[in-house]
Amino acid sequence: MHLELDADSKQRLERAREIGRTEVRPIGLEADRLGRPIPVDDSYFARCLERGEGRTRWRPAGTPKRSGRRRRSTVTTLLIAEELSYWDRGVGVANPGPGLPEGNVIAQGTEEQKEKYLSAFIKPDRPRWASFAMTEPGAGSDAAAIRTTARKDGDSWILNGAKCFIGNASRADWILVQATTDPERGRAAQRAFFVEQGTAGLGPFKIEPKMGLKAYESTSFPLQDCRIPAENLLGGEKKRERPEGFKGAMRTFNAQRPVIAANAVGIGRSALDETLRFAREHGLIKQARVRDRIEHMTRKLRMARLICLRAGWLADQERPNVVEASMCKYVAAAVAQEATALGMEVLGAVAGRGDHIVEKLYRDVKAMDIVEGTGQIQRMIIARKLVELPR
Ligand SMILES: Cc1cc2nc3c(=O)[nH]c(=O)nc-3n(C[C@H](O)[C@H](O)[C@H](O)COP(=O)(O)OP(=O)(O)OC[C@H]3O[C@@H](n4cnc5c(N)ncnc54)[C@H](O)[C@@H]3O)c2cc1C
């Protein structure tokens, strides 16, 4: 396994570190203190755009390749994801861009759909978001159980149902909504639909309270007789005949798992550094119990990081990495939760005051076990793959 970064990747990582320290950390702490997402019109988002963030990697067919610019490797992407989460994972998710649904749209969408929904993200004129809505009040881990329906009516689809905990939904230009065309047929009948902001029947949006990651919004919303044009079916009519609705959504989660693992390692590393700082400032470093915790956190975080980078390296080699992606997601989330908890132990009574960054990291990290499939679900995926059971 070769993990040495080239000069360009090192530079990108260094830049992410600097932005994290100077911009991401302060705005994340402020959002946590106020207990609300960063407002849409915050100047932070405009600065993101000025730095060239918030863009899609998609380009229309025939666009000439920019000379001298190599595609970013998955390993580099993971290290940058780790670095941004080191400073604040909630701010990382709040950042504008086509986000979670981008990969699915690039893989499954028609050329017209990519043009319509992604071209505004090539060089955005204002902060823009997109959102992916799978989870429902009655369907989380068991994504095949979703009950949001899509019924064909002439040249339209009519969507009815409810979604919850959807990132950035109320500020998104469009939401890729997963729905079933026949609730009796389970995953085989699932499709994804573009629902544009402002469509009648979409909303109202409710921003859910969260224990951590307060910088970005997690939103619940209903779809009530929400009528959208027939062409908003992801992949178009052709995909209706050869559907990949459920598989496409699962691919989105698969690709995201090492990123979440990297996020978890970043949060854990941050907890480690802040715990060390606290121990030094309070003269605790001579205590064996403190050193024991520091060693434990460091050892496990380094192990988690290696599994995570291996999943990324396999992706870069275009080799299968389903087991490694689920393994690193499970291991990194568990290790990072443990690291923040050990940090809280070192802090002692200060941990209970609610104003130390390690306490914030302790709240932030829990979601790393939940999103893109919980730890238990990752272990189920690994076990099925190891004994070669079909999904
Ligand atoms: C911060 C945050 C952001 C999110 N963002 C999005 C988003 O942008 N888009 C989106 O669609 N969703 C999003 N979600 C939803 C997330 O994907 C779900 O919360 C997750 O899939 C778990 O579903 P659930 O909460 O319904 O828990 P449940 O599925 O009800 O699970 C509850 C518990 O039971 C366990 N469990 C469930 N089934 C089994 C089983 N078969 N065997 C053993 N144990 C099991 C789980 O591991 C878990 O511990 C987000 C959630 C959070 C917390």
Side-chain angles (χ1 to χ4, degrees), residues 219-254:
T219 309
S220 300
F221 59 89
L223 295 133
Q224 289 166 310
D225 290 328
C226 184
R227 184 181 285 273
I228 54 170
E231 63 261 25
N232 286 22
L233 169 67
L234 178 68
E237 284 297 308
K238 215 163 76 200
K239 285 277 185 232
R240 238 188 123 196
E241 289 149 25
R242 286 191 295 113
E244 289 225 339
F246 187 77
K247 269 196 200 159
M250 291 304 113
R251 261 202 298 270
T252 300
F253 290 140
N254 252 351

Side-chain angles (χ1 to χ4, degrees), residues 258-330:
V259 177
I260 304 292
N263 292 157
V265 173
I267 298 175
R269 263 182 52 221
S270 194
L272 170 63
D273 286 355
E274 294 300 333
T275 302
L276 250 178
R277 187 209 305 269
F278 180 89
R280 289 209 167 98
E281 283 172 3
H282 292 79
L284 303 175
I285 222 78
K286 287 191 189 128
Q287 295 183 14
R289 64 147 191 130
V290 172
R291 288 200 305 276
D292 176 71
R293 283 163 178 77
I294 297 293
E295 179 278 331
H296 194 106
M297 292 159 89
T298 308
R299 170 168 42 87
K300 288 205 160 177
L301 283 165
R302 287 189 189 177
M303 282 157 50
R305 189 181 209 217
L306 269 180
I307 307 178
C308 173
L309 293 179
R310 175 156 176 84
W313 179 80
L314 285 170
D316 284 334
Q317 308 306 305
E318 298 181 2
R319 283 166 57 184
N321 74 344
V322 173
V323 168
E324 287 76 8
S326 283
M327 254 182 206
C328 69
K329 162 76 170 66
Y330 171 74

Side-chain angles (χ1 to χ4, degrees), residues 132 134-135 140-141 165-167 210 216 370-371 374 376 380:
F132 177 62
M134 169 72 104
T135 305
S141 300
F165 259 94
I166 309 305
K210 288 201 294 278
Y216 86 98
I370 301 173
V371 298
T374 66
Q376 280 103 341
M380 283 169 55

